[in-house]
Amino acid sequence: MPDFRFRLPAINDLTFTQQIALAEREKSLLVTGGPGSGKTVVSVYRFQRDLAQDDDVLFFTYHKTLIASIRGTFRQRADILMPDVQDYRVERILNNSIYSFTAWYYRNFQKYLPEETDEEIVANILSLENETFYNFSEIFIDEAQDLRPAVLDALIVLTNRMTCGADRAQDLNGHYIQPADEFIRTLLINRNREVNHQELTQNFRNTKQIFAFARKFVPEDIGVQEIDIEELNDGNRPEVMELTQVEQLALIARIIRDNPNANIGILVHFYWQINDIRDYLIANGFSCEENADEADSFSYYYVNNSMNPQHEQIMERNLRTPFIITFDSCKGLEFDTVIMPMFEQSDWAMTNPKKKYGSQEVDTFANGDIKYFASRNHYYVACTRARGQLYILYSTKPDILGFYEEDDVENVDVDLLF
């Protein structure tokens, strides 16, 4: 299958509000908006502009998956985004200026981020304040709501300007007790940074039917419910199917074969589900190896020490579609088609607490609530990754789909899947 493509519109096609956000050069920028509103697009173009001026800049996001996607975009479109930069310098820029925050932290302090306390992280970052090498003209943080407030606050000290993209509805980690975008703006102001707040209100990704379905997962989120979807294309209705696991896997393979040029995201709860799908695809002629034929290649990723390190490195160098990932890692990405198989696991994921060092994990940085393996917001975010087609597959209808009437469930002729 082809390389994964990050959809970056031509700069002249940006909307008026996106152009306003891009034009800001002196102040820090907080750009907010829902899924598909173009937050990452604005950040990428501002970052590209700084690179063209040889500014010392950093681009952060929390997930390796989005980093791989953005690096891939710069590689694929280097002739447009960095026309005066030779290929070897493009690669050096990508490796030294675009990071997941976890990777940057380990590179600088040789410490694994999840094992550090807020106090330790902040102390380490602030120790760089007087180092010339770490005085950046601008730091970009995509999906800023994923960073803990104290960490974000410390990073502000290292830069003259900061560009943050944030969506309060996508604070899946529960880092902020109040809306994340409001709190981030307060952090910047408290550090004496002038801030331009630009809200992007349009949705350029989803169809009307996909977004109307997605927001049913978060009925109490007033901000999401008030988003105007009337100007969206109607599109195809999501396909919700009750299938055995064998039938689900067969359907996934068929969708991949029938859509050879599409970005396809396969989103699941747990790493072992990724491994099951990976093994099925390999057994049916697909490959995640470096030398895989383009027509049969795919990528996968999960945060777990059991992941094959060679496959992880291949994914980072050359992200391919279809891409199999967890709900936690899909933010910032978009796909032509999203498949959410084995969705019956949502009953378990929403009622079982995460554990850390043998104890229940809580939102210690927000309101102290217990953290579960999944929340309603996970599914809202996952569904809004889809541009054109959404499939939800399960063996037994889970409680979270109570809003979806049984009569609406697709009647599938399983003989057609094989």
Side-chain angles (χ1 to χ4, degrees), residues 32-297:
T32 59
S37 58
K39 300 184 298 296
T40 302
V41 168
V42 168
S43 293
V44 167
Y45 270 123
R46 285 172 62 89
F47 176 68
Q48 178 261 339
R49 182 181 66 196
D50 285 0
L51 289 177
Q53 298 171 346
D54 288 327
D55 288 345
D56 292 326
V57 291
L58 277 178
F59 194 108
F60 283 134
T61 191
Y62 200 76
H63 298 293
K64 285 186 178 181
T65 52
L66 183 55
I67 288 295
S69 172
I70 292 172
R71 283 176 174 167
T73 297
F74 272 90
R75 291 188 185 104
Q76 294 161 19
R77 300 181 61 178
D79 57 332
I80 297 173
L81 297 174
M82 293 186 284
D84 300 322
V85 181
Q86 294 178 313
D87 289 346
Y88 78 93
R89 284 198 62 224
V90 169
E91 197 61 32
R92 188 171 67 189
I93 288 170
L94 297 182
N95 290 329
N96 291 319
S97 300
I98 306 177
Y99 288 95
S100 70
F101 182 71
T102 302
W104 179 84
Y105 189 81
Y106 185 84
R107 179 170 179 172
N108 283 277
F109 306 111
Q110 290 74 54
K111 293 182 179 179
Y112 187 47
L113 191 66
E115 298 176 356
E116 297 276 275
T117 65
D118 257 17
E119 291 75 18
E120 291 169 332
I121 296 169
V122 169
N124 282 327
I125 293 174
L126 294 181
S127 71
L128 305 176
E129 182 178 2
N130 296 319
E131 300 288 337
T132 304
F133 185 76
Y134 293 95
N135 184 15
F136 299 99
S137 58
E138 188 159 9
I139 290 178
F140 298 80
I141 303 181
D142 199 63
E143 304 292 344
Q145 73 279 343
D146 286 344
L147 279 183
R148 290 178 258 182
V151 176
L152 184 58
D153 187 44
L155 285 172
I156 297 171
V157 175
L158 302 183
T159 184
N160 299 322
R161 295 186 310 275
M162 180 171 281
T163 290
C164 292
D167 179 4
R168 62 178 66 182
Q170 297 189 55
D171 179 18
L172 302 185
N173 296 306
H175 289 334
Y176 296 84
I177 193 168
Q178 67 184 88
D181 47 3
E182 295 178 9
F183 198 91
I184 292 168
R185 183 173 182 272
T186 300
L187 289 178
L188 288 162
I189 291 173
N190 288 346
R191 288 290 184 180
N192 296 317
R193 301 296 188 270
E194 291 187 277
V195 186
N196 177 31
H197 180 191
Q198 185 64 55
E199 184 174 8
L200 307 179
T201 57
Q202 292 179 259
N203 182 325
F204 299 97
R205 178 187 300 145
N206 306 131
T207 62
K208 184 185 296 183
Q209 294 215 46
I210 287 176
F211 192 81
F213 180 88
R215 67 182 178 185
K216 288 181 180 178
F217 284 107
V218 288
E220 297 180 358
D221 191 318
I222 302 302
V224 171
Q225 301 306 317
E226 290 180 347
I227 293 176
D228 185 2
I229 63 174
E230 288 308 308
E231 294 186 8
L232 299 179
N233 294 326
D234 193 52
N236 298 321
R237 61 181 270 187
E239 298 197 37
V240 181
M241 303 181 181
E242 184 170 328
L243 302 168
T244 67
Q245 182 163 321
V246 171
E247 291 165 352
Q248 291 181 44
L249 293 170
L251 180 57
I252 289 170
R254 191 185 77 177
I255 293 170
I256 294 170
R257 291 295 190 196
D258 289 350
N259 298 275
N261 297 313
N263 272 355
I264 298 174
I266 304 170
L267 314 181
V268 296
H269 289 93
F270 309 113
Y271 78 91
W272 56 265
Q273 294 174 306
I274 292 178
N275 288 341
D276 284 349
I277 298 169
R278 176 201 63 194
D279 293 346
Y280 180 88
L281 292 180
I282 291 172
N284 284 271
F286 296 91
S287 175
C288 52
E289 301 298 334
E290 184 104 56
N291 60 353
D293 185 272
E294 183 175 296
D296 301 312
S297 63

